[in-house]
Structure formats: structure tokens, C-alpha cells
Amino acid sequence: MKTPSSNATSSSRAPDDGARRRAIAIGSGVGGMAAAIRMRLQGYSVSVFESASMPGGKVGEHRHEGWRFDTGPSLFTLPELLDELFRDAGADPGQYYQYHRLDNICRYFFPDGKVLNAWSDPEKMAQEFEHVLAEPAANIHRYLHRAARIYELTRDIFLTASLHDLETWRRAPWIKTILGLPELDALSTMNNRNRRLFQQPNTVMLFNRYATYNGSNPYKAPATLNVIGHLEHNLGAYFLRGGMRNLIEAMHRLALEIGVEFEFDSPVERILVQGKKVEGVQLSARAPQALRPADVVISNMDVVPSYRKLLPGIAHPERLLSQPKSTSALIFYWSMKKSWPIFDLHNILFSSDYALEFHHLCELKTLQPDPTVYLYISSKAEPSDAPPGGENWFVMINVPHLNGQNWDELIARARERIITKLESQTGQEIRSHISAEKVLDPRGIAEMTSSHLGALYGNSSDNPMAAFLRHPNFSRSIRGLYFCGGSVHPGGGIPLCLLSARIAAEQAAKRQD
Ligand code: FAD
């Protein structure tokens, strides 16, 4: 990537109104970058300050000899939200990135030896469940229909608009939502609902898994989260050509083209507030001209340190900040010298005791002996991601957020268990085929992206009120201060981060700070 300052040019697509008002984004994760683009499109002069030396936050990349790894997200859903951002900026998304819909979304390996492909075609998938797991196809269709209905009922209030703005409630078809409340299933847990919907424990476990997409516990999270299955199975799972890092490269390029300016290695140390109005930011004392004035500041930093570190001395929304946090992840990036046809692009190898796994993760804050393993091999779709004959294995397990654990010990134990599990699945020795290894754990996630306790998605969604207990995309007490990214409304994951940026920018336009 070229040095950002040398690229900070305006183009014909930049607004020509003089860009008199100034906006600052703190952080260049997906949310921060999208918010910066949207504020620029509103005519602001926009600067992004990023503590790392490159943009992207959790959407990272690791290259080693001939192997390339996505270090964070691997599954791309709701690509139309990214396309919308580019189109709003007058750009043709196809000129910046390409993606295709996956035919097989994920290959599942169950403890009893069964292997199931979750085909993207719903009928084909339902038939697969019937043949492999003896789950009646009609149950799968019923689940998909229910999940689609939850999406329809929640989208306009809980996802695409500010939940905390009265206008949303005036505008949104909330009568439809209120009438549909029983269908939202908020008072049932995901596990209880799925046990009623399906006959086979393996099917229940498979659909319970969607709670982990926002770091929650299916044995506690409301069944409303079954909506996540709709995004993947009804709307589709996609592969971004060149890997997820291309998303960041594309957004960064667009931002530069429309005149957003970036300063890397520039951590923000304070958000400056005068009276009840934001005045700008203070950079690290290392930076020359450390005070940067602004009319609007949008923090893409996790909302907890945004308050605790950048806004000392003002009242904090303690109730929102102190909610239980989501789980985190432990990832091994293995450069494999061999390829394994048994695996697909996305693979899940389930634990023999899923309930026990979540008890350990969420209550005991540790790992159980047989964790569920997610194996992502992008070289299956992008052969240049590994040398010929090799593969790039992204091997991830869910782990608790930071809570005083001895991580070196947990990682060493987890590594052995994962290898044993993969070897028993493949029936082959794999250890000697790992030619290089890199590890990312909750300590690294916390350190690299300032995520509070290393949690991947901010608050967990383990209670029915969770959506109301995420921080809004604006400050209720400080004019000109906004928030975006995975720790605030509407939640974590790339699509929701893009939505958070859209909502924050809409709120800024409406409030005219
Ligand atoms: P973040 O990525 O959290 O970035 C915040 C940025 O702010 C960072 O660059 C940080 O350096 C910067 N910053 C922080 N403090 C300061 C400061 N004081 N001054 C300046 N800069 C600062 N999502 C999916 O959709 N699909 C997936 O498959 C998926 N898998 C995942 C797997 C892993 C291992 C991880 C870690 C995440 C995964 N996610 C997935 C979640 C997704 O990556 C995140 O929700 C999303 O990328 C978070 O974006 P964000 O806007 O919140 O910013």
C-alpha cells in the first residue's frame, strides 16, 4: 500500500462545496473508513487518524513466503451494503473489487462421523439434511422461512436505522413489528427454539452455531438471533476475490480518491470537548501540532476505551459500557505444505459436547477439552494464496474474552487438541506438514485494535434486551460526537459495521452540529 499522505488527492467525485466543515474519524476499521467516506460525501473535510501503520483494524492480512492469510474476517455477507457505499460515492464497485456467491457455504463435520455440505441452494441444502442427518427437509424450509420473517420484522428498526432516534420509531413500520413480536422469539433461547424446530441434535447444534457470529451463547441468546441464518442461507455467503483484505484496499482507495486524508501511526489520546460540544482531538504528544480541531468526531475505537481513555472527566454511560462482553478468538495461521481434498473453503468440526463448550467459554471463561474448530482455507478459492500443492489454514476456535487467564498455557493445550481433532478427522498425520505458524489470541486482538478485553463484537447478545443496551451511534450528552464500528449499534461483523457508519453519518447530517 502506498503512503497515504502521498495519495490524499481530490477527484471529480469529491463534493465541490468547499468542504468547510471538518470531521475526524478515530480509527480506520471498516466502520471508520465507511464513516469517513460518508462524511466526505456530505461535504466535510475529513481526516482519519489511525494508531496502526495501515488501515483495516481487524480486517488484516499476513504473508509468509508463498502463503497469504486473511487474519480476521473470512465470511462475506450482505455485499450489497458495500456496493451501496461505493455507488453513493459515484463509483462502480466492479472497478474496485469482485466477489462471487458460494455454492457450498460450509462443510460440517459432526462428532459421529457424519459430514454435511450446507449448499447455498435451499432445496439442495434441505435434501442434504434429510439424507445425511435424517432431518426432514420441511424443517429446514420452516427454519429458513422463520429466519426470513425475523429479518423482515427487525431490519428497519434494529439494523438499518438508529434505534435511539424517535424518528426511527415514527417512520418505521413498528406496528408490523409489534404485531409480529411473537415471531421475533425474543423470550425463547436459540437452543430452545431450535430444539423445538428440529428433530436431530446435530441440526440443532448446526443452527445454534449462528450465535457465535456475534460472540454470544446459543444457550442464553434470544432466538431472534436465528435471523443470522437468514443472512447466510437465504441472502447468501460470498467470497471476495483476492481475500478480505481487498475490501480494505478498495475502501481506502475510494476514500483517497474523494479526498479523505489519512494519518497513520497517529493514535488519538483525547477527544476535546468544550461545554457540551466536541472541539476536535488531541493526538499523541509525539505528533507535531497535536491538537486537531473538528466540528464532528466519529470514534471507530471500541466504545469502552473511547470513553475510558479519550473522554476522562465526563459522565460515562456506565450501564451500557458495563454489559457482559462477547467471546473472542484464538487463531492459528498454518502454512501447510500439503493439500487436503476432504476440506472445503469453510469447514466446521464440531465439539462432542457443544453445551459444555459454551459453559466453559461463557461461565467458566476457559476452554473445554474438545473445542469446535473452524477451518478456513482461502487457497481453495484463490489458489495463489498458497504455493502449488500447499494450503493456507486459518484454524480458529472461540475463546473467552480476557479474564485473567494464563493464555500461554491455554494456547499450548488448545493447539494439541486441535491437531488431534484434525488428525482424527482426516485419518492422517498433519503436524509435520505445518511449515510455519503465526498465532493471534485475545491479548493480540485487544492490543492491535483497542478492543475492550479482546472481545470481538463489543457486548454479547445473551439477553433479550441486548439490542437496547448497545451504545447509540451518537452521544446523548456531547454535540458533534458519534460512534461507529462493531462495539456500538447495530453490532459487530462487516455488514453491521457498514450500517453503523451509515447511521452515524445520517445522524450527523440530521443534527448539523
Ligand atoms: P476495528 O476493526 O475494531 O478497528 C478499529 C480501528 O481503530 C483499528 O484500526 C485501531 O487501530 C483504531 N484505533 C483504536 N483506537 C484508536 C485511537 N485511539 N486512535 C487512532 N486509532 C485507533 N466479521 C464478518 O463479517 N465475517 C467474519 O467472518 C468475521 N470473522 C472474524 C474473525 C476474526 C478473527 C475477527 C477478529 C473478527 C471477525 N469478524 C468477522 C468481525 C469483523 O472483523 C469486525 O466486526 C469488524 O472488522 C470491526 O470493524 P470496526 O469498524 O469495529 O473497527
Side-chain angles (χ1 to χ4, degrees), residues 132-415:
V132 178
L133 300 185
E135 182 69 50
N139 289 352
I140 304 301
H141 288 303
R142 197 151 55 105
Y143 168 89
L144 292 178
H145 176 74
R146 287 182 77 104
R149 186 78 184 120
I150 297 174
Y151 185 65
E152 196 189 319
L153 290 168
T154 53
R155 183 188 49 210
D156 296 338
I157 295 180
F158 291 96
L159 293 177
T160 61
S162 173
L163 187 59
H164 312 87
D165 182 347
L166 271 182
E167 202 182 308
T168 302
W169 294 87
R170 274 201 291 271
R171 230 179 24 208
W174 60 268
I175 293 185
K176 186 179 78 177
T177 307
I178 302 279
L179 291 176
L181 269 180
E183 290 174 87
L184 292 186
D185 247 351
L187 299 179
S188 179
T189 66
M190 273 181 103
N191 179 59
N192 284 343
R193 170 55 60 201
N194 291 338
R195 279 178 49 197
R196 287 198 291 272
L197 277 173
F198 302 116
Q199 289 178 9
Q200 301 299 334
N202 280 344
T203 320
V204 174
M205 181 160 67
L206 189 152
F207 287 105
N208 278 353
R209 180 175 93 84
Y210 289 113
T212 66
Y213 280 36
N214 64 13
S216 301
N217 175 354
Y219 301 89
K220 286 201 161 170
T224 318
L225 290 192
N226 276 335
V227 68
I228 300 170
H230 169 71
L231 305 186
E232 193 165 306
H233 291 289
N234 290 326
L235 301 184
Y238 294 81
F239 183 78
L240 194 70
R241 289 289 314 277
M244 295 301 283
R245 184 66 198 169
N246 266 359
L247 180 145
I248 294 302
E249 307 278 345
M251 290 175 82
H252 185 218
R253 186 178 133 207
L254 174 69
L256 291 172
E257 285 171 359
I258 64 171
V260 174
E261 295 182 359
F262 289 82
E263 290 190 31
F264 295 99
D265 299 307
S266 302
V268 168
E269 293 205 336
R270 288 277 185 281
I271 294 172
L272 304 172
V273 179
Q274 182 65 43
K276 294 210 170 290
K277 170 83 182 80
V278 88
E279 289 229 302
V281 301
Q282 181 187 329
L283 300 177
S284 144
R286 294 196 306 272
Q289 302 155 340
L291 298 184
R292 301 297 169 92
D295 304 287
V296 166
V297 171
I298 303 183
S299 182
N300 181 217
M301 186 188 198
D302 185 308
V303 68
V304 175
S306 287
Y307 278 99
R308 303 276 190 246
K309 292 191 178 159
L310 306 189
L311 287 162
I314 66 153
H316 294 174
E318 293 299 340
R319 186 155 174 253
L320 305 187
L321 301 188
S322 62
Q323 289 302 308
K325 298 298 165 228
S326 79
T327 53
S328 187
L330 167 62
I331 309 116
F332 297 92
Y333 309 95
W334 286 338
S335 305
M336 303 301 284
K337 290 185 289 184
K338 181 176 176 313
S339 63
W340 274 265
I342 182 178
F343 294 124
D344 205 68
L345 176 66
H346 299 285
N347 310 273
I348 291 284
L349 291 81
F350 275 115
S351 163
S352 53
D353 192 337
Y354 209 46
L356 188 70
E357 179 168 10
F358 282 93
H359 178 65
H360 277 69
L361 283 175
C362 302
E363 316 300 332
L364 306 180
K365 304 277 188 269
T366 187
L367 299 181
Q368 65 124 344
D370 180 23
T372 296
V373 175
Y374 168 57
L375 171 60
Y376 164 57
I377 310 174
S378 73
S379 59
K380 298 271 189 199
E382 197 73 65
S384 63
D385 282 353
E391 286 180 345
N392 60 342
W393 283 21
F394 168 115
V395 186
M396 181 178 124
I397 60 170
N398 294 310
V399 298
H401 58 68
L402 296 174
N403 192 38
Q405 302 93 336
N406 179 340
W407 282 102
D408 292 337
E409 196 184 291
L410 285 180
I411 291 167
R413 258 193 287 146
R415 186 180 192 277

Side-chain angles (χ1 to χ4, degrees), residues 445-497:
I445 292 167
E447 195 187 312
M448 281 178 353
T449 58
S450 297
S451 299
H452 181 56
L453 302 179
L456 286 195
Y457 304 100
N459 294 349
S460 79
S461 297
D462 286 344
N463 80 68
M465 296 308 288
F468 297 93
L469 294 169
R470 291 189 93 86
H471 196 286
N473 303 104
F474 56 88
S475 163
R476 291 189 193 279
S477 56
I478 301 168
R479 271 183 54 218
L481 178 58
Y482 298 87
F483 298 89
C484 65
S487 68
V488 295
H489 177 73
I494 288 167
L496 299 197
C497 290

